[in-house]
Amino acid sequence: MDISDKLKSATAFAKDNNFDSAIEVLQEVLPNMAIQAGYPHSSYTKIIPYFQKAQRYSEVESYCESVLLPLVKQDCEKAFGHKPSETILAFYNLHVSMVYEKLALCSKREKNKEDEKRFKFEKDKHYIIYDEWFAKEPEPKLREVD
């Protein structure tokens, strides 16, 4: 089964409210995604709400920090490896921001205000790093057509 089929399988499990199976499939496929690189952040972050919906909220932050974020970093390094390291770091921080955004959403659903505030802070902190890099990049120059 290829990555696309496994992602579809995880989604099917989730639609059947079988979130533990969806998590298992994604835990199996995410490392392969990072090796191939170039997958959208949504493919990585879809596992986060599954933890919450499976009543496993207490596990999700640790999973993100120990497994998901290193995989996201690996993907960024491979996908943007031909770019300067500052560019890689900028996009990594953009994706980290998106991970924390999903964590904040889970904590909001859990009515855990303390975690929600902390995750929003992390989301904003990492997005600012990306945004500052983006602001420094020169705008593409348009050339006139002859």
Side-chain angles (χ1 to χ4, degrees), residues 3 31 72:
I3 291 173
V72 167

Side-chain angles (χ1 to χ4, degrees), residues 89-98 100-101 119-135:
L89 185 60
F91 280 98
Y92 170 68
N93 276 284
L94 174 62
H95 292 143
V96 170
S97 173
M98 294 170 180
Y100 281 108
E101 182 175 40
F119 293 144
K120 282 182 177 181
F121 174 82
E122 289 296 323
K123 174 189 85 75
D124 292 344
K125 178 177 83 173
H126 288 281
Y127 188 82
I128 287 169
I129 294 169
Y130 165 77
D131 198 42
E132 287 174 349
W133 168 84
F134 194 73

Side-chain angles (χ1 to χ4, degrees), residues 6-146:
K6 287 183 179 182
L7 290 171
K8 289 176 188 174
S9 173
T11 300
F13 280 128
K15 284 183 180 178
D16 288 339
N17 293 322
N18 189 346
F19 298 108
D20 288 319
S21 292
I23 291 167
E24 286 178 30
V25 170
L26 288 173
Q27 286 177 325
E28 178 185 327
V29 75
L30 287 172
N32 294 325
M33 287 171 37
I35 290 168
Q36 288 189 11
Y39 283 87
H41 77 278
S42 59
S43 295
Y44 285 95
T45 59
K46 73 186 309 174
I47 195 170
I48 296 170
Y50 294 169
F51 274 98
Q52 191 260 330
K53 291 174 181 179
Q55 306 299 313
R56 295 169 58 182
Y57 175 77
S58 63
E59 299 173 41
V60 70
E61 181 178 9
S62 175
Y63 176 80
C64 287
E65 290 176 352
S66 65
V67 177
L68 192 62
L69 290 177
L71 291 174
V72 167
K73 184 175 184 184
Q74 180 181 344
D75 186 301
C76 285
E77 288 172 345
K78 187 161 186 174
F80 298 104
H82 60 288
K83 301 279 187 184
S85 61
E86 190 174 273
T87 303
I88 296 168
L89 185 60
F91 280 98
Y92 170 68
N93 276 284
L94 174 62
H95 292 143
V96 170
S97 173
M98 294 170 180
V99 167
Y100 281 108
E101 182 175 40
K102 287 285 189 178
L103 286 169
L105 179 60
C106 286
S107 62
K108 181 177 184 173
R109 289 177 179 154
E110 290 289 314
K111 296 178 176 46
N112 186 327
K113 297 286 187 195
E114 185 178 309
D115 282 356
E116 183 182 6
K117 182 179 176 181
R118 187 168 47 86
F119 293 144
K120 282 182 177 181
F121 174 82
E122 289 296 323
K123 174 189 85 75
D124 292 344
K125 178 177 83 173
H126 288 281
Y127 188 82
I128 287 169
I129 294 169
Y130 165 77
D131 198 42
E132 287 174 349
W133 168 84
F134 194 73
K136 288 191 294 188
E137 287 298 297
E139 290 188 36
K141 304 232 188 290
L142 300 176
R143 62 180 183 88
E144 290 186 33
V145 179
D146 297 325

